[in-house]
Amino acid sequence: MADRRVVTVRPEQGSYAWTFGGAAPVARIAPGTVLDLFTEDCFAGRVRSAGDLVSQVCEFPFLNPQTGPFYVEGAEVGDTVAVHFVSVEPARDWAASTTVPLFGALTSTHTTATLQPPLPEVVWMWELDRQRRTCAFETREGGMRIELPMDPMHGTVGVAPANLEVRSALVPDAHGGNMDTPEMRAGTTCYLGVNVEGALLSLGDGHARQGEGETCGVAVECAMNTVVIVELLKGVATPWPRLESDTHIISTGSARPLEDAFRIAQLDMVRWLQRDYGFAELDAYQFLSQAGESPLANVCDTNYTAVAKIRKGWLPPGTPHRGLHDELRSAAVGLRP
Amino acid sequence: MADRRVVTVRPEQGSYAWTFGGAAPVARIAPGTVLDLFTEDCFAGRVRSAGDLVSQVCEFPFLNPQTGPFYVEGAEVGDTVAVHFVSVEPARDWAASTTVPLFGALTSTHTTATLQPPLPEVVWMWELDRQRRTCAFETREGGMRIELPMDPMHGTVGVAPANLEVRSALVPDAHGGNMDTPEMRAGTTCYLGVNVEGALLSLGDGHARQGEGETCGVAVECAMNTVVIVELLKGVATPWPRLESDTHIISTGSARPLEDAFRIAQLDMVRWLQRDYGFAELDAYQFLSQAGESPLANVCDTNYTAVAKIRKGWLPPGTPHRGLHDELRSAAVGLRP
Amino acid sequence: MADRRVVTVRPEQGSYAWTFGGAAPVARIAPGTVLDLFTEDCFAGRVRSAGDLVSQVCEFPFLNPQTGPFYVEGAEVGDTVAVHFVSVEPARDWAASTTVPLFGALTSTHTTATLQPPLPEVVWMWELDRQRRTCAFETREGGMRIELPMDPMHGTVGVAPANLEVRSALVPDAHGGNMDTPEMRAGTTCYLGVNVEGALLSLGDGHARQGEGETCGVAVECAMNTVVIVELLKGVATPWPRLESDTHIISTGSARPLEDAFRIAQLDMVRWLQRDYGFAELDAYQFLSQAGESPLANVCDTNYTAVAKIRKGWLPPGTPHRGLHDELRSAAVGLRP
Amino acid sequence: MADRRVVTVRPEQGSYAWTFGGAAPVARIAPGTVLDLFTEDCFAGRVRSAGDLVSQVCEFPFLNPQTGPFYVEGAEVGDTVAVHFVSVEPARDWAASTTVPLFGALTSTHTTATLQPPLPEVVWMWELDRQRRTCAFETREGGMRIELPMDPMHGTVGVAPANLEVRSALVPDAHGGNMDTPEMRAGTTCYLGVNVEGALLSLGDGHARQGEGETCGVAVECAMNTVVIVELLKGVATPWPRLESDTHIISTGSARPLEDAFRIAQLDMVRWLQRDYGFAELDAYQFLSQAGESPLANVCDTNYTAVAKIRKGWLPPGTPHRGLHDELRSAAVGLRP
């Protein structure tokens, strides 16, 4: 790994980005650069105890701070930026989750608008045991202690959007952003299509773990120390964010209603099977229909995110994204903390 | 198992049910009865080669034949019928899948109505190797042979609906029906709320396997030899179908748009956690948000079906459905073919 | 009008239908018959004062009683039944409206399921002044008296559904049913496709008036004295209910999400323009896009209903439904009360 | 009208805005200023004959040019900008409409993604007769000439969005933007909540007329000469765009799925009835449910837009927006061309 430049960024207060697009780059990096990053939690670190209600301690729209953006040298419209997650490690021994008024899947919201009052605003503090790889909380009523495996991930990874837009870091869409999928964990490569020169990559919103769908709208939110390798695939277009793990290829779609998010991800997977695995269109449709896994990512954000996965062992021979994932997995070995 | 009555039903042509509700029972059974059943495939067995197009060989509305209904003695409104799947075994060494005009997730449909012509109607015949537990098809273009693990399941299990209704066997809703979830496999117990005296249980729509979401609308469809034990939980209400496996408790929701199917399943899981595991409402919401799995079942039927799962090992102590699943697992041991 | 048979039906308690399909006909009628009907309100007449809460006085599923069904002689699958509304007159000098727990557009529901408690259950009694053609209510708080024009209509008109189904009278779908469109007023002809021999027409759910969308889920509900002429169009198919007034041709679609209801109605209008007015498909699409009116019918029922209207004066020459509406308008003259 | 400053803006090529937010103001104006504007059509004037296909002559993302933005002096977050349409007059004697690949309500799209090919791309040129107030097109097949009343309006009116965002001019949302409602005609006042200092108002997307729902996604698109008066309501918040005509008060909502757009508009109308007409919440809900009109605006854009209307004559006494509409109607008299 001697040949990879390492750029370390631990932002100070006031130097986070709150949008995709519209923020000045914090650094210019060459393809192949290793980024050693600190990301703050989605509350900008302001929810630190059960008494810290989002509606009181957070300052809209300064939610979901992003570390970045990074200007990737040579990245042009029509290329793809690859972000390989070498490690994603909670930076503190605690995390927080909460209900947020009129936000989440099991409440009316500002768009699924009803006359009902919001649910109560309740905070749960989670303990993270980084050795045992667990996270735990105590129920607010009944005093049960619940322990779950830690499974750290980033809810938000993205580039500047197309169409001259600037989007809030809370939004998931074709540029990535707040997709909130548990698939975005260490060992995974995320592919993002480039919409503006330099791509303007940023990431944040660490979760010690998250259920599929992120039902209440908020995961086990924590600051992260995260190492990624950033690469560039020239001349490869990626209309919607894709991921690749050692075991699966993964498409995403973000839209409303949820069936459209599903359709986008599934159609993208058909196109992926056609491009990299030699399937004809309807054969790919048939294969996906029988082989696909379809876990939900989030059903709470401004767009919902669905995921389409295929197990690599079930695929015919193919070399997605020029074999970059395997290459980055190897490169990552010496970089883990 | 000497004390369980076994009822064997292998319907003749003309003796299937095409609806939930509205069909006369084929048998009255006592709780605890073992049903040894043959179920025909969703095409009523008429798609037997690549030339058998659904639009030509099938006769609407005679699709998705159900074996049953069974009148469960003592079942009354407010009770729950439990169906434990002892074994689900393909009855033939082949299965069929196909596109169907204006049906499926990646096409316009009769309700997501557009001016575009339908996709081509193409049939894929699948070979089932019941020893090796595989199923395989050859692509229509390029001649690739694709082999996948067999994972047999029933797309359709249900009881007569509430509200005086009779629903097509193609519909999933609160009465169960065509939920098309791969979770409905051997070793699982399905709980269905009783809406009419006798419950009127039937099942069909065997799949040698199915992807999550059943994208093209049609799984690897095959006739099945299936053994179930039917039990009755008096005084236990089940508003939406629930499943229980050795590893998970599972709620379902069926509705449109897809986010409503998700909401129903998630809310049902919150209620389940409250009733059987001692959670307060918002604590259950928090736990589910971090621990839940949310694979889609179908995104093609008249209602879409979403599933909410929780790993049993992560739950606090509790005894769902009076411990019936464990009891039926034991009872099933001697009944497997 | 000497040649039209008049059939008068004023059902007794216990002789209403609660479903479309599945109910025995109350009469066989020849095409051309005049039906002189009484219809009870959607509460089965049980909400008679502000203290009569639906959750207490009504008995599920015995809501939305239908007068009928009528077996139309000669009606076969593929034909169309036409129902011309000669007169729709409130049968009492009062009507009722109410909130219903977990029902309506501005509340979570059983399918748009949330953890929030239902809205309060409140009844508003309306006074109907049949001479002045007004209806009025007093606000529950502040004592304002609000008076609106009376505009009597039927929320529910339908035939037995296809696919062997029986649907609750609360459901709107391709068979008609609970469409809840204010367009269903005196002077209008409703066309319904026949799905079973005899069609099995019924109607009910009178509204003294209703806003577009029926936001709270309940209109100004009242019993009606209604006169219709029933005709039969042999060999004319009607996939989704259509209406015709003196000024407009009107298509309907009922589905979820609401955009699908819109798509169905709009596509049906394109097909109507093609069939009866000589448009090519894309020319019809263009014309509709610039000339169409799209008032919502209901956004609260189990399916939502959208309406597509075109002003007759803007259409090129054409003779929809063999000129039946004009003929029935003439025939109706002598039948009005 | 001697006391109103008139600012005339006829943008040159290259000086349009393509977004809401993110563009430098073309002028600073004091409240009360009259803007005398030219707006180019949504195609940036590039579709001028039946051979000019959008996919060939237009350059993404340079669609839907906006005239502006205007910095309104004194406008701060929490205030409301009022835009009174004095006159909206087609600037040419022709207009254009077209299908656009994968755009519109009766086709699959980039988000309602299917495997079907797009509809054919067809252009219709419309003749505008500004004296007779008509617009007409000839069908592409069959040579029918169709004439409709002219009803000029602006599809797009908005301010800079909240949350640090910049949105494409093709998007409708809480900041206004591409709402595409035929209600935005001369004689109407549009109220927009201010999200950034100076509001940054712009408008464009003239339609000689448009059907409700804008089914094919494209109206009768034309350049406009438009005169508006811009006013400022200090200390009045407007969460979603509202309109006021001589006959109606009108709320809007923009979201997906369409029922959410409906919910937003309806809930906003309940709040309006509470604030300006003295209704209690549930009384407003009841009144709206019986008195509301709910025509759709667009069912094709990135968000769909629904409209909630109440006839002023049916309202109890009230003074919406401090009587500004009436005042601007008077002021407009001397300003009409």
Side-chain angles (χ1 to χ4, degrees):
Chain A
M1 291 315 309
D3 57 343
R4 287 188 189 270
R5 186 178 161 225
V6 178
V7 173
T8 300
V9 177
R10 302 181 65 83
E12 298 178 25
Q13 281 304 111
S15 63
Y16 288 100
W18 308 97
T19 54
F20 288 91
V26 296
R28 293 175 70 98
I29 59 171
T33 298
V34 175
L35 295 177
D36 184 349
L37 305 175
F38 173 85
T39 64
E40 190 42 278
D41 68 32
C42 69
F43 308 117
R46 294 182 178 206
V47 177
R48 306 180 79 90
S49 74
D52 292 334
L53 305 189
V54 167
S55 62
Q56 294 174 3
V57 301
C58 291
E59 185 189 354
F60 293 81
F62 301 104
L63 287 171
N64 208 17
Q66 300 299 305
T67 299
F70 298 93
Y71 183 103
V72 182
E73 288 168 355
E76 294 169 302
V77 177
D79 297 339
T80 289
V81 162
V83 184
H84 180 72
F85 288 86
V86 175
S87 60
V88 179
E89 287 296 307
R92 302 178 184 127
D93 60 3
W94 57 269
S97 192
T98 177
T99 50
V100 175
L102 300 183
F103 181 65
L106 297 186
T107 170
S108 55
T109 67
H110 294 284
T111 54
T112 305
T114 80
L115 291 164
Q116 293 157 299
L119 296 174
E121 203 172 346
V122 177
V123 175
W124 293 265
M125 297 307 296
W126 286 70
E127 307 163 30
L128 308 185
D129 186 329
R130 289 171 285 185
Q131 262 56 52
R132 294 179 53 240
R133 312 303 287 171
T134 58
C135 48
F137 78 107
E138 191 167 306
T139 58
R140 295 291 296 254
E141 296 182 44
M144 286 192 285
R145 182 186 157 85
I146 304 280
E147 188 177 276
L148 295 172
M150 192 183 285
D151 185 10
M153 52 160 279
H154 279 279
T156 311
V157 184
V159 292
N163 299 324
L164 314 172
E165 289 202 316
V166 172
R167 303 306 310 274
S168 158
L170 294 167
V171 176
D173 209 321
H175 67 283
N178 196 24
M179 296 179 284
D180 282 323
T181 168
E183 310 289 342
M184 201 76 77
R185 58 169 68 88
T188 301
T189 307
C190 174
Y191 302 96
L192 298 161
V194 176
N195 301 303
V196 304
E197 214 184 87
L200 298 179
L201 170 74
S202 47
L203 73 168
D205 193 22
H207 299 164
R209 72 167 289 116
Q210 179 206 308
E212 292 169 357
E214 205 182 11
T215 310
C216 79
V218 182
V220 183
E221 309 286 342
C222 64
M224 288 286 179
N225 292 312
T226 289
V227 177
V228 299
I229 310 174
V230 179
E231 272 292 357
L232 181 62
L233 285 161
K234 292 295 296 179
V236 174
T238 302
W240 283 88
R242 290 177 179 174
L243 292 87
E244 190 178 345
S245 71
D246 291 354
T247 57
H248 287 83
I249 61 171
I250 304 168
S251 288
T252 69
S254 296
R256 290 188 176 200
L258 185 54
E259 50 263 43
D260 275 3
F262 176 84
R263 287 176 178 124
I264 291 166
Q266 299 282 319
L267 182 59
D268 186 69
M269 182 57 83
V270 168
R271 298 300 178 222
W272 196 349
L273 293 171
Q274 291 180 260
R275 189 187 73 182
D276 286 352
Y277 296 94
F279 282 91
E281 185 180 87
L282 292 182
D283 286 326
Y285 193 26
Q286 173 63 202
F287 175 59
L288 173 60
S289 297
Q290 315 312 344
E293 298 167 55
S294 304
L296 292 170
N298 88 73
V299 191
C300 56
D301 292 322
T302 45
N303 288 311
Y304 304 137
T305 303
V307 155
K309 300 172 66 172
I310 304 247
R311 188 166 287 278
K312 284 182 166 179
W314 296 355
L315 287 163
T319 307
H321 299 104
R322 301 175 183 161
L324 185 60
H325 174 74
D326 293 341
E327 187 186 319
L328 291 172
R329 282 296 270 162
S330 301
V333 171
L335 294 168
R336 289 200 202 104
Chain B
M1 291 311 311
D3 57 344
R4 286 188 190 272
R5 185 176 162 226
V6 178
V7 173
T8 301
V9 176
R10 302 182 64 84
E12 298 179 25
Q13 282 303 110
S15 62
Y16 287 100
W18 308 97
T19 53
F20 287 91
V26 296
R28 292 174 72 97
I29 59 171
T33 298
V34 176
L35 295 177
D36 184 348
L37 306 175
F38 173 85
T39 64
E40 190 42 280
D41 68 31
C42 70
F43 309 117
R46 293 181 177 206
V47 177
R48 306 180 77 91
S49 75
D52 292 335
L53 304 188
V54 166
S55 62
Q56 294 174 3
V57 302
C58 292
E59 185 190 354
F60 293 80
F62 301 104
L63 287 171
N64 207 19
Q66 299 300 304
T67 298
F70 297 93
Y71 183 104
V72 181
E73 289 167 356
E76 295 170 299
V77 177
D79 297 339
T80 288
V81 162
V83 184
H84 179 71
F85 287 86
V86 175
S87 60
V88 179
E89 288 296 307
R92 303 179 184 125
D93 60 2
W94 58 269
S97 191
T98 177
T99 51
V100 174
L102 300 182
F103 181 67
L106 296 186
T107 170
S108 55
T109 66
H110 294 283
T111 54
T112 305
T114 80
L115 291 163
Q116 293 158 300
L119 295 173
E121 202 172 346
V122 178
V123 175
W124 293 266
M125 297 306 297
W126 287 71
E127 305 162 31
L128 309 184
D129 186 328
R130 290 173 283 184
Q131 262 57 52
R132 294 180 53 241
R133 312 302 289 172
T134 59
C135 49
F137 78 106
E138 192 168 306
T139 59
R140 295 291 296 253
E141 295 181 46
M144 287 193 286
R145 181 185 157 85
I146 304 281
E147 189 177 276
L148 294 172
M150 192 183 285
D151 185 10
M153 52 160 279
H154 278 278
T156 311
V157 184
V159 292
N163 299 324
L164 313 173
E165 290 203 315
V166 172
R167 302 308 308 273
S168 157
L170 295 168
V171 175
D173 209 322
H175 69 282
N178 195 24
M179 297 179 284
D180 282 323
T181 168
E183 311 289 344
M184 201 77 77
R185 58 170 68 88
T188 301
T189 306
C190 175
Y191 301 96
L192 298 161
V194 176
N195 302 302
V196 304
E197 211 184 270
L200 298 179
L201 170 75
S202 47
L203 73 167
D205 193 22
H207 300 163
R209 72 166 288 117
Q210 179 205 307
E212 292 169 357
E214 205 182 12
T215 312
C216 80
V218 182
V220 183
E221 307 285 342
C222 65
M224 289 286 177
N225 291 313
T226 289
V227 177
V228 298
I229 310 175
V230 179
E231 271 293 357
L232 182 62
L233 285 162
K234 291 297 295 179
V236 174
T238 302
W240 284 87
R242 291 177 178 175
L243 292 86
E244 190 178 345
S245 71
D246 291 355
T247 58
H248 288 82
I249 61 170
I250 305 168
S251 287
T252 69
S254 296
R256 290 189 175 200
L258 185 54
E259 52 263 42
D260 274 3
F262 176 83
R263 286 177 179 124
I264 292 167
Q266 299 282 319
L267 182 59
D268 186 69
M269 182 58 83
V270 169
R271 298 302 179 221
W272 196 348
L273 293 171
Q274 292 181 259
R275 188 187 73 183
D276 286 352
Y277 296 94
F279 282 92
E281 185 179 89
L282 291 182
D283 286 325
Y285 192 26
Q286 173 63 203
F287 174 60
L288 173 61
S289 296
Q290 314 312 344
E293 297 168 56
S294 303
L296 293 170
N298 88 73
V299 191
C300 56
D301 292 321
T302 43
N303 287 311
Y304 305 136
T305 303
V307 155
K309 298 173 66 172
I310 303 246
R311 188 167 286 279
K312 284 182 167 178
W314 296 355
L315 286 164
T319 307
H321 299 104
R322 301 176 183 159
L324 185 60
H325 174 73
D326 293 341
E327 184 186 321
L328 292 171
R329 282 296 270 162
S330 302
V333 172
L335 293 168
R336 288 199 203 105
Chain C
M1 290 316 308
D3 55 346
R4 288 189 189 268
R5 186 178 159 223
V6 178
V7 173
T8 299
V9 176
R10 303 181 64 85
E12 298 178 25
Q13 280 305 110
S15 62
Y16 287 100
W18 308 97
T19 54
F20 287 91
V26 296
R28 293 174 71 97
I29 59 172
T33 298
V34 175
L35 295 177
D36 183 349
L37 306 175
F38 173 85
T39 64
E40 190 40 279
D41 68 33
C42 69
F43 308 117
R46 295 182 176 205
V47 177
R48 306 180 79 89
S49 74
D52 293 334
L53 305 189
V54 167
S55 63
Q56 293 174 3
V57 302
C58 292
E59 185 189 353
F60 292 82
F62 301 103
L63 287 171
N64 208 17
Q66 300 299 303
T67 299
F70 297 93
Y71 183 104
V72 181
E73 288 167 357
E76 294 169 301
V77 178
D79 297 341
T80 289
V81 162
V83 184
H84 180 71
F85 287 86
V86 176
S87 60
V88 179
E89 287 297 308
R92 303 178 184 127
D93 60 2
W94 58 269
S97 191
T98 178
T99 50
V100 175
L102 301 182
F103 180 66
L106 296 186
T107 171
S108 55
T109 66
H110 294 284
T111 55
T112 305
T114 81
L115 291 164
Q116 293 157 299
L119 295 173
E121 203 171 345
V122 177
V123 175
W124 293 265
M125 298 306 298
W126 287 70
E127 306 162 30
L128 309 184
D129 185 328
R130 289 173 284 185
Q131 261 58 50
R132 294 180 53 241
R133 312 304 288 171
T134 58
C135 48
F137 77 107
E138 191 168 306
T139 58
R140 296 291 296 252
E141 295 181 44
M144 286 192 285
R145 180 185 158 85
I146 305 282
E147 189 178 275
L148 295 172
M150 193 183 284
D151 185 8
M153 50 160 281
H154 278 278
T156 310
V157 184
V159 292
N163 299 323
L164 313 172
E165 290 202 317
V166 172
R167 302 308 307 276
S168 157
L170 295 168
V171 175
D173 208 323
H175 68 282
N178 195 23
M179 297 179 284
D180 281 324
T181 168
E183 310 289 343
M184 200 77 76
R185 57 170 68 88
T188 301
T189 307
C190 175
Y191 302 96
L192 298 160
V194 176
N195 301 303
V196 305
E197 214 183 87
L200 299 178
L201 169 75
S202 47
L203 74 167
D205 193 23
H207 300 164
R209 70 167 289 117
Q210 179 206 309
E212 293 168 357
E214 204 182 11
T215 311
C216 78
V218 182
V220 183
E221 309 285 343
C222 65
M224 289 287 178
N225 292 313
T226 289
V227 177
V228 299
I229 311 175
V230 180
E231 270 293 356
L232 181 63
L233 285 162
K234 292 295 297 177
V236 174
T238 301
W240 284 88
R242 291 178 178 173
L243 292 87
E244 191 178 345
S245 71
D246 291 354
T247 58
H248 287 84
I249 61 171
I250 304 168
S251 287
T252 69
S254 297
R256 290 188 176 200
L258 185 54
E259 50 263 44
D260 274 3
F262 176 82
R263 288 177 177 123
I264 291 166
Q266 299 282 319
L267 182 59
D268 186 69
M269 182 57 83
V270 168
R271 299 302 180 220
W272 195 350
L273 293 171
Q274 291 181 260
R275 189 186 73 182
D276 286 352
Y277 296 94
F279 282 92
E281 185 179 88
L282 292 182
D283 286 326
Y285 192 26
Q286 173 63 203
F287 174 60
L288 173 60
S289 297
Q290 315 312 345
E293 298 168 55
S294 304
L296 292 170
N298 88 73
V299 191
C300 56
D301 292 322
T302 45
N303 287 310
Y304 305 136
T305 302
V307 155
K309 299 173 66 173
I310 304 245
R311 188 167 287 278
K312 284 181 167 179
W314 296 356
L315 286 164
T319 307
H321 299 104
R322 300 176 183 159
L324 185 60
H325 173 75
D326 292 341
E327 186 186 321
L328 292 171
R329 282 296 270 164
S330 301
V333 171
L335 294 167
R336 288 195 205 109
Chain D
M1 293 313 311
D3 56 345
R4 287 187 190 269
R5 186 177 161 224
V6 177
V7 173
T8 301
V9 177
R10 302 183 65 85
E12 298 178 26
Q13 281 305 110
S15 62
Y16 288 100
W18 308 97
T19 54
F20 287 92
V26 296
R28 292 174 71 97
I29 59 172
T33 298
V34 176
L35 296 176
D36 184 349
L37 306 175
F38 173 84
T39 64
E40 190 41 280
D41 68 32
C42 69
F43 309 117
R46 294 181 177 206
V47 177
R48 305 180 79 88
S49 74
D52 292 335
L53 304 189
V54 166
S55 62
Q56 293 173 4
V57 303
C58 292
E59 185 190 353
F60 293 81
F62 301 104
L63 287 171
N64 207 18
Q66 299 300 303
T67 298
F70 296 94
Y71 182 104
V72 181
E73 289 167 355
E76 295 169 299
V77 177
D79 296 341
T80 289
V81 162
V83 184
H84 180 71
F85 288 86
V86 175
S87 61
V88 180
E89 287 297 307
R92 302 179 184 125
D93 60 3
W94 57 269
S97 191
T98 177
T99 51
V100 175
L102 301 182
F103 181 66
L106 297 186
T107 170
S108 55
T109 66
H110 294 284
T111 53
T112 305
T114 80
L115 291 163
Q116 292 159 300
L119 295 174
E121 203 172 346
V122 178
V123 174
W124 293 265
M125 297 307 296
W126 286 71
E127 306 162 31
L128 308 184
D129 186 328
R130 290 172 284 183
Q131 261 56 52
R132 293 180 54 240
R133 312 303 288 171
T134 58
C135 48
F137 78 108
E138 191 168 306
T139 59
R140 294 291 296 255
E141 295 181 45
M144 286 191 286
R145 182 185 157 85
I146 304 281
E147 189 177 277
L148 295 171
M150 193 183 283
D151 186 9
M153 51 160 280
H154 278 279
T156 311
V157 183
V159 292
N163 299 325
L164 313 172
E165 290 203 314
V166 172
R167 302 307 308 273
S168 158
L170 295 167
V171 175
D173 209 321
H175 68 283
N178 196 23
M179 295 179 285
D180 282 323
T181 168
E183 310 289 344
M184 200 76 78
R185 58 170 67 88
T188 301
T189 306
C190 175
Y191 302 96
L192 298 161
V194 176
N195 302 302
V196 304
E197 212 183 88
L200 299 178
L201 169 75
S202 47
L203 73 167
D205 193 23
H207 300 164
R209 71 167 289 117
Q210 179 206 305
E212 292 168 356
E214 206 182 10
T215 312
C216 80
V218 182
V220 183
E221 308 285 342
C222 66
M224 288 287 178
N225 291 313
T226 289
V227 177
V228 299
I229 310 174
V230 180
E231 270 293 357
L232 181 62
L233 286 163
K234 291 297 295 179
V236 174
T238 303
W240 283 88
R242 292 177 177 174
L243 292 86
E244 189 178 345
S245 70
D246 290 354
T247 58
H248 287 84
I249 62 170
I250 305 168
S251 288
T252 70
S254 296
R256 289 189 176 200
L258 185 54
E259 52 262 42
D260 274 3
F262 175 84
R263 286 176 179 126
I264 292 166
Q266 299 282 320
L267 182 60
D268 186 69
M269 182 56 83
V270 168
R271 298 303 179 220
W272 196 348
L273 293 171
Q274 291 181 261
R275 188 187 73 183
D276 286 353
Y277 296 93
F279 282 92
E281 184 179 89
L282 292 182
D283 286 326
Y285 192 26
Q286 173 63 203
F287 175 60
L288 173 60
S289 297
Q290 314 313 343
E293 297 168 55
S294 303
L296 293 170
N298 88 75
V299 191
C300 56
D301 292 321
T302 44
N303 287 311
Y304 305 136
T305 303
V307 155
K309 298 172 67 172
I310 304 244
R311 188 168 287 278
K312 284 181 167 180
W314 296 354
L315 286 163
T319 307
H321 299 104
R322 301 174 183 162
L324 185 59
H325 174 75
D326 293 341
E327 185 185 321
L328 292 171
R329 282 295 271 163
S330 301
V333 171
L335 294 167
R336 289 200 203 106

